[in-house]
PDB file of all heavy atoms in Angstrom:
ATOM      1  N   ALA A1650      85.636 -18.535 -45.987  1.00 98.00           N
ATOM      2  CA  ALA A1650      84.914 -18.003 -47.163  1.00 98.00           C
ATOM      3  C   ALA A1650      85.901 -17.397 -48.133  1.00 98.00           C
ATOM      4  O   ALA A1650      86.933 -16.860 -47.788  1.00 98.00           O
ATOM      5  CB  ALA A1650      83.935 -16.891 -46.702  1.00 98.00           C
ATOM      6  N   TYR A1651      85.599 -17.563 -49.445  1.00 98.00           N
ATOM      7  CA  TYR A1651      86.355 -16.831 -50.473  1.00 98.00           C
ATOM      8  C   TYR A1651      85.485 -16.571 -51.670  1.00 98.00           C
ATOM      9  O   TYR A1651      84.501 -17.248 -51.915  1.00 98.00           O
ATOM     10  CB  TYR A1651      87.629 -17.573 -50.879  1.00 98.00           C
ATOM     11  CG  TYR A1651      87.446 -18.870 -51.624  1.00 98.00           C
ATOM     12  CD1 TYR A1651      87.451 -18.904 -53.047  1.00 98.00           C
ATOM     13  CD2 TYR A1651      87.307 -20.042 -50.932  1.00 98.00           C
ATOM     14  CE1 TYR A1651      87.294 -20.107 -53.720  1.00 98.00           C
ATOM     15  CE2 TYR A1651      87.134 -21.281 -51.619  1.00 98.00           C
ATOM     16  CZ  TYR A1651      87.118 -21.291 -53.001  1.00 98.00           C
ATOM     17  OH  TYR A1651      86.948 -22.447 -53.667  1.00 98.00           O
ATOM     18  N   TRP A1652      85.804 -15.512 -52.406  1.00 98.00           N
ATOM     19  CA  TRP A1652      85.000 -15.059 -53.537  1.00 98.00           C
ATOM     20  C   TRP A1652      85.829 -15.182 -54.801  1.00 98.00           C
ATOM     21  O   TRP A1652      87.017 -14.935 -54.823  1.00 98.00           O
ATOM     22  CB  TRP A1652      84.602 -13.611 -53.378  1.00 98.00           C
ATOM     23  CG  TRP A1652      83.659 -13.352 -52.228  1.00 98.00           C
ATOM     24  CD1 TRP A1652      83.974 -13.298 -50.879  1.00 98.00           C
ATOM     25  CD2 TRP A1652      82.231 -13.148 -52.294  1.00 98.00           C
ATOM     26  NE1 TRP A1652      82.848 -13.063 -50.136  1.00 98.00           N
ATOM     27  CE2 TRP A1652      81.764 -12.966 -50.980  1.00 98.00           C
ATOM     28  CE3 TRP A1652      81.317 -13.105 -53.355  1.00 98.00           C
ATOM     29  CZ2 TRP A1652      80.435 -12.708 -50.686  1.00 98.00           C
ATOM     30  CZ3 TRP A1652      79.977 -12.848 -53.060  1.00 98.00           C
ATOM     31  CH2 TRP A1652      79.544 -12.675 -51.718  1.00 98.00           C
ATOM     32  N   GLU A1653      85.106 -15.550 -55.885  1.00 98.00           N
ATOM     33  CA  GLU A1653      85.660 -15.394 -57.234  1.00 98.00           C
ATOM     34  C   GLU A1653      84.622 -14.581 -57.981  1.00 98.00           C
ATOM     35  O   GLU A1653      83.528 -15.064 -58.275  1.00 98.00           O
ATOM     36  CB  GLU A1653      85.830 -16.777 -57.891  1.00 98.00           C
ATOM     37  CG  GLU A1653      86.915 -17.638 -57.210  1.00 98.00           C
ATOM     38  CD  GLU A1653      86.718 -19.116 -57.438  1.00 98.00           C
ATOM     39  OE1 GLU A1653      85.670 -19.636 -57.104  1.00 98.00           O
ATOM     40  OE2 GLU A1653      87.667 -19.743 -57.996  1.00 98.00           O
ATOM     41  N   GLY A1654      84.958 -13.289 -58.186  1.00 97.00           N
ATOM     42  CA  GLY A1654      83.957 -12.375 -58.744  1.00 97.00           C
ATOM     43  C   GLY A1654      82.826 -12.247 -57.709  1.00 97.00           C
ATOM     44  O   GLY A1654      83.069 -12.037 -56.514  1.00 97.00           O
ATOM     45  N   ASP A1655      81.597 -12.409 -58.174  1.00 96.00           N
ATOM     46  CA  ASP A1655      80.529 -12.378 -57.166  1.00 96.00           C
ATOM     47  C   ASP A1655      80.013 -13.817 -56.901  1.00 96.00           C
ATOM     48  O   ASP A1655      78.857 -14.020 -56.551  1.00 96.00           O
ATOM     49  CB  ASP A1655      79.380 -11.421 -57.593  1.00 96.00           C
ATOM     50  CG  ASP A1655      78.765 -11.830 -58.918  1.00 96.00           C
ATOM     51  OD1 ASP A1655      79.261 -12.768 -59.570  1.00 96.00           O
ATOM     52  OD2 ASP A1655      77.729 -11.212 -59.310  1.00 96.00           O
ATOM     53  N   ASN A1656      80.908 -14.759 -56.991  1.00 98.00           N
ATOM     54  CA  ASN A1656      80.610 -16.115 -56.554  1.00 98.00           C
ATOM     55  C   ASN A1656      81.303 -16.416 -55.237  1.00 98.00           C
ATOM     56  O   ASN A1656      82.520 -16.314 -55.162  1.00 98.00           O
ATOM     57  CB  ASN A1656      81.042 -17.136 -57.611  1.00 98.00           C
ATOM     58  CG  ASN A1656      80.138 -17.077 -58.849  1.00 98.00           C
ATOM     59  OD1 ASN A1656      79.022 -17.570 -58.804  1.00 98.00           O
ATOM     60  ND2 ASN A1656      80.625 -16.410 -59.884  1.00 98.00           N
ATOM     61  N   LEU A1657      80.518 -16.819 -54.269  1.00 98.00           N
ATOM     62  CA  LEU A1657      81.048 -17.098 -52.959  1.00 98.00           C
ATOM     63  C   LEU A1657      81.146 -18.623 -52.714  1.00 98.00           C
ATOM     64  O   LEU A1657      80.139 -19.326 -52.966  1.00 98.00           O
ATOM     65  CB  LEU A1657      80.136 -16.489 -51.852  1.00 98.00           C
ATOM     66  CG  LEU A1657      80.412 -16.894 -50.400  1.00 98.00           C
ATOM     67  CD1 LEU A1657      81.783 -16.355 -49.907  1.00 98.00           C
ATOM     68  CD2 LEU A1657      79.327 -16.408 -49.460  1.00 98.00           C
ATOM     69  N   THR A1658      82.317 -19.054 -52.264  1.00 98.00           N
ATOM     70  CA  THR A1658      82.424 -20.439 -51.807  1.00 98.00           C
ATOM     71  C   THR A1658      82.688 -20.390 -50.311  1.00 98.00           C
ATOM     72  O   THR A1658      83.489 -19.594 -49.853  1.00 98.00           O
ATOM     73  CB  THR A1658      83.621 -21.168 -52.504  1.00 98.00           C
ATOM     74  OG1 THR A1658      83.345 -21.149 -53.891  1.00 98.00           O
ATOM     75  CG2 THR A1658      83.729 -22.637 -52.024  1.00 98.00           C
ATOM     76  N   ILE A1659      81.995 -21.241 -49.573  1.00 98.00           N
ATOM     77  CA  ILE A1659      82.176 -21.245 -48.115  1.00 98.00           C
ATOM     78  C   ILE A1659      82.162 -22.621 -47.552  1.00 98.00           C
ATOM     79  O   ILE A1659      81.261 -23.430 -47.837  1.00 98.00           O
ATOM     80  CB  ILE A1659      81.133 -20.291 -47.445  1.00 98.00           C
ATOM     81  CG1 ILE A1659      81.419 -20.128 -45.960  1.00 98.00           C
ATOM     82  CG2 ILE A1659      79.690 -20.767 -47.671  1.00 98.00           C
ATOM     83  CD1 ILE A1659      80.721 -18.935 -45.306  1.00 98.00           C
ATOM     84  N   PHE A1660      83.216 -22.959 -46.826  1.00 98.00           N
ATOM     85  CA  PHE A1660      83.302 -24.170 -46.061  1.00 98.00           C
ATOM     86  C   PHE A1660      82.760 -23.782 -44.675  1.00 98.00           C
ATOM     87  O   PHE A1660      83.305 -22.894 -44.030  1.00 98.00           O
ATOM     88  CB  PHE A1660      84.707 -24.678 -45.888  1.00 98.00           C
ATOM     89  CG  PHE A1660      85.415 -24.994 -47.218  1.00 98.00           C
ATOM     90  CD1 PHE A1660      86.193 -24.007 -47.821  1.00 98.00           C
ATOM     91  CD2 PHE A1660      85.249 -26.205 -47.829  1.00 98.00           C
ATOM     92  CE1 PHE A1660      86.839 -24.293 -49.046  1.00 98.00           C
ATOM     93  CE2 PHE A1660      85.908 -26.478 -49.017  1.00 98.00           C
ATOM     94  CZ  PHE A1660      86.683 -25.497 -49.631  1.00 98.00           C
ATOM     95  N   VAL A1661      81.682 -24.427 -44.267  1.00 98.00           N
ATOM     96  CA  VAL A1661      81.038 -23.943 -43.015  1.00 98.00           C
ATOM     97  C   VAL A1661      80.337 -25.076 -42.305  1.00 98.00           C
ATOM     98  O   VAL A1661      79.736 -25.958 -42.925  1.00 98.00           O
ATOM     99  CB  VAL A1661      80.108 -22.737 -43.321  1.00 98.00           C
ATOM    100  CG1 VAL A1661      79.038 -23.142 -44.349  1.00 98.00           C
ATOM    101  CG2 VAL A1661      79.479 -22.190 -42.065  1.00 98.00           C
TER     102      VAL A1661
END
Side-chain angles (χ1 to χ4, degrees):
Y1651 69 93
W1652 294 78
E1653 292 157 303
D1655 60 354
N1656 288 284
L1657 170 67
T1658 300
I1659 187 163
F1660 301 94
V1661 57

